[in-house]
Amino acid sequence: MSEGQKFQLGTIGALSLSVVSSVSIVICNKALISTLGFTFATTLTSWHLLVTFCSLHVALWMKMFEHKPFDPRAVMGFGILNGISIGLLNLSLGFNSVGFYQMTKLAIIPCTVLLETLFFRKKFSRKIQFSLTILLLGVGIATVTDLQLNMLGSVLSLLAVITTCVAQIMTNTIQKKFKVSSTQLLYQSCPYQAITLFVTGPFLDGLLTNQNVFAFKYTSQVVFFIVLSCLISVSVNFSTFLVIGKTSPVTYQVLGHLKTCLVLAFGYVLLKDPFNWRNILGIMVAVIGMVVYSYFCSIETQQKASETSSTQLPQQMKESEKDPLIAVENGSGVLSDGGGGVQKTAAPVWNSNKEF
């Protein structure tokens, strides 16, 4: 199996893990919050991150991955920013209507595209932009019901969008800049995220719910769902970093909207949530947008891979002409399999600026 095939297989696995784990934790948290009345979302998220860090520490102790320290200031800043973005999203939901909160989540994709274009000179083709527009239109139809505006809620939403976009772009760039895996980055940044939310979580949850998380009555059923949610969160956090590292922040957001559609569908089938023609139409349009986005990304990936391989061959030929030792060792300057006459070129280099 070639390196490109292994990369694609790993990416498909990461996307699948992200979808399954995210839909599972939404269903679990919905039972915990809606049915059992545990409405302390920010504090729960801090517990998720603490359990994730402990799980990764055990995995490190079992030598399942290698600890790779790098710039501590970058790790601290990244971890704190991630924690702040989660807190702001929860505040945005608390101070806005559900419809405006959904619009906030939809704004993350165009904001990410804008930031990557301005600061990273990343190019998004018109086909990709067109497919993203279809996707956002579909999710908007399915989820946005009312748009009640207020100044505080709008400011919180704006800050939530900016911090979320920057944090997700940093997830991708840090992994590539410092050559660390998603597991290594998550292990080092988890404590800072957890501490940020653990300190601010009870205050934010008290502000939003007028309840004290420490005074809540923890029945055996509540504890069971909290533990289950924390265990699922290990997979959610890991797959998030994995997907962004292997693809891009925009692709991760597209995947997030797929999860939204799946949650709506599962809510109707399993939990008998209300469902109307707008939900059905929106999900259908969103799925079309996702299919078109995936198709165009696949086409552009193949084109860039072929361009890379075609530019590598002349470079190898030039090097062989300049250095006779290369020509002697490789026969004609191109790697050979030893007499079968089959020419091999180096595998295409993954370009961090392309969309998958």
Side-chain angles (χ1 to χ4, degrees):
M1 185 181 293
S2 67
E3 289 297 322
Q5 290 175 326
K6 288 180 180 179
F7 183 88
Q8 289 185 352
L9 187 62
T11 303
I12 292 172
L15 294 171
S16 302
L17 178 64
S18 180
V19 170
V20 172
S21 58
S22 295
V23 173
S24 300
I25 201 170
V26 166
I27 294 174
C28 177
N29 288 348
K30 188 165 186 178
L32 183 61
I33 294 173
S34 302
T35 306
L36 300 175
F38 187 85
T39 55
F40 310 102
T42 308
T43 303
L44 180 62
T45 304
S46 71
W47 296 347
H48 287 171
L49 291 164
L50 285 172
V51 172
T52 299
F53 175 73
C54 293
S55 302
L56 290 175
H57 194 70
V58 172
L60 178 64
W61 178 73
M62 296 174 64
K63 298 182 179 179
M64 296 178 67
F65 70 96
E66 180 184 355
H67 180 48
K68 185 179 179 181
F70 59 98
D71 189 352
R73 289 180 299 178
V75 175
M76 181 184 295
F78 169 71
I80 294 174
L81 181 64
N82 255 315
I84 291 173
S85 70
I86 295 171
L88 285 171
L89 281 171
N90 287 338
L91 283 173
S92 174
L93 177 59
F95 284 93
N96 289 301
S97 65
V98 175
F100 191 82
Y101 174 72
Q102 291 296 338
M103 284 296 296
T104 299
K105 292 173 66 177
L106 291 178
I108 292 175
I109 283 185
C111 182
T112 303
V113 170
L114 177 64
L115 290 177
E116 290 196 304
T117 302
L118 291 177
F119 296 102
F120 294 91
R121 301 186 182 280
K122 192 170 184 178
K123 296 180 180 179
F124 296 87
S125 66
R126 292 188 179 277
K127 294 178 180 178
I128 295 295
Q129 294 175 18
F130 173 70
S131 62
L132 291 175
T133 303
I134 296 176
L135 166 67
L136 295 175
L137 176 64
V139 177
I141 293 173
T143 61
V144 178
T145 53
D146 60 323
L147 290 175
Q148 299 175 10
L149 302 178
N150 65 81
M151 179 58 69
L152 179 59
S154 300
V155 172
L156 289 171
S157 294
L158 177 63
L159 293 174
V161 169
I162 294 174
T163 53
T164 301
C165 291
V166 174
Q168 291 182 357
I169 291 172
M170 286 180 67
T171 304
N172 182 275
T173 54
I174 286 177
Q175 290 185 54
K176 288 177 170 56
K177 179 180 179 180
F178 296 102
K179 294 181 172 57
V180 293
S181 68
S182 55
T183 311
Q184 292 168 332
L185 177 58
L186 180 60
Y187 175 71
Q188 294 189 63
S189 63
C190 238
Y192 298 106
Q193 296 182 59
I195 291 172
T196 302
L197 293 177
F198 191 77
V199 172
T200 60
F203 170 74
L204 294 179
D205 289 333
L207 182 66
L208 295 174
T209 65
N210 293 320
Q211 298 182 54
N212 188 344
V213 64
F214 301 109
F216 187 80
K217 185 179 180 181
Y218 291 88
T219 63
S220 57
Q221 198 173 13
V222 170
V223 172
F224 171 78
F225 274 98
I226 288 176
V227 172
L228 180 61
S229 178
C230 288
L231 292 176
I232 299 174
S233 72
V234 177
S235 177
V236 173
N237 290 325
F238 172 73
S239 62
T240 296
F241 280 59
L242 191 62
V243 168
I244 296 177
K246 283 185 172 294
T247 57
S248 72
V250 173
T251 298
Y252 175 73
Q253 284 299 322
V254 171
L255 187 69
H257 292 307
L258 170 60
K259 299 171 195 173
T260 301
C261 294
L262 289 175
V263 168
L264 287 173
F266 278 116
Y268 173 72
V269 174
L270 300 178
L271 306 176
K272 304 302 179 183
D273 287 344
F275 215 62
N276 54 43
W277 66 268
R278 281 190 57 178
N279 299 130
I280 298 173
L281 175 62
I283 289 175
M284 290 176 62
V285 174
V287 169
I288 292 172
M290 292 172 201
V291 171
V292 174
Y293 174 81
S294 301
Y295 173 75
F296 287 146
C297 283
S298 177
I299 295 297
E300 291 188 5
T301 300
Q302 293 175 5
Q303 290 176 346
K304 291 179 180 179
S306 61
E307 289 173 2
T308 304
S309 59
S310 63
T311 55
Q312 284 179 344
L313 185 59
Q315 290 176 353
Q316 291 178 349
M317 294 293 290
K318 289 179 180 179
E319 289 176 359
S320 66
E321 292 173 359
K322 293 178 181 178
D323 193 343
L325 288 177
I326 297 178
V328 170
E329 289 174 358
N330 294 335
S332 63
V334 181
L335 298 178
S336 173
D337 64 353
V342 180
Q343 293 180 330
K344 298 178 181 177
T345 58
V349 178
W350 175 253
N351 184 354
S352 62
N353 285 333
K354 71 181 171 222
E355 286 293 322
F356 183 81

